[in-house]
Amino acid sequence: MISLLKVSESDAEDIFEMAGMLSMSFDVAGKHELSDFLRVLKDDETIFLIARIANVAVGYLYGNTHYAFYAAQNVAWIEELYVKEEYRRNGVANSLLKHAELIANERKAALISVATRRAEQFYERSGYQRSAHYFRKLLGN
């Protein structure tokens, strides 16, 4: 059975481990700071969920809601959604996504968006539509 919980301080190490497995552009191993984690937890606009099965952390979702001028109201953004490989295709990602959508709805968000490299079919099956191309520029930080 999948348990979905709002992330707490005690989840930091599990989140850091999974974020390291998700990251393709950055080597984040050993670079996470608890102070950054706590800052994110305190942000009222954060959507931060962890999925557990038998008390084992198996996935997480991190995003936020914010005001957008193009919508003249709040919108939501999913920054990260990760499920450990051995737990994929068991409804974990879908559960995390649906719970994030509920939170976004409660916050009166007009839409929820996500950029993806590897999960296009998952988001399409979940009712998401292609909307734009994603561009990025790495900065020297």
Side-chain angles (χ1 to χ4, degrees), residues 20 26-32:
F26 302 99
D27 178 10
V28 299
K31 295 182 180 176
H32 294 105

Side-chain angles (χ1 to χ4, degrees), residues 76-103:
W77 180 260
I78 297 169
E79 191 69 39
E80 302 170 23
L81 173 56
Y82 180 79
V83 175
K84 290 180 179 177
E85 194 165 343
E86 62 269 29
Y87 294 96
R88 293 180 185 164
R89 291 172 186 70
N90 290 309
V92 176
N94 191 55
S95 295
L96 286 163
L97 187 62
K98 295 301 178 199
H99 198 77
E101 291 170 359
L102 288 172
I103 293 169

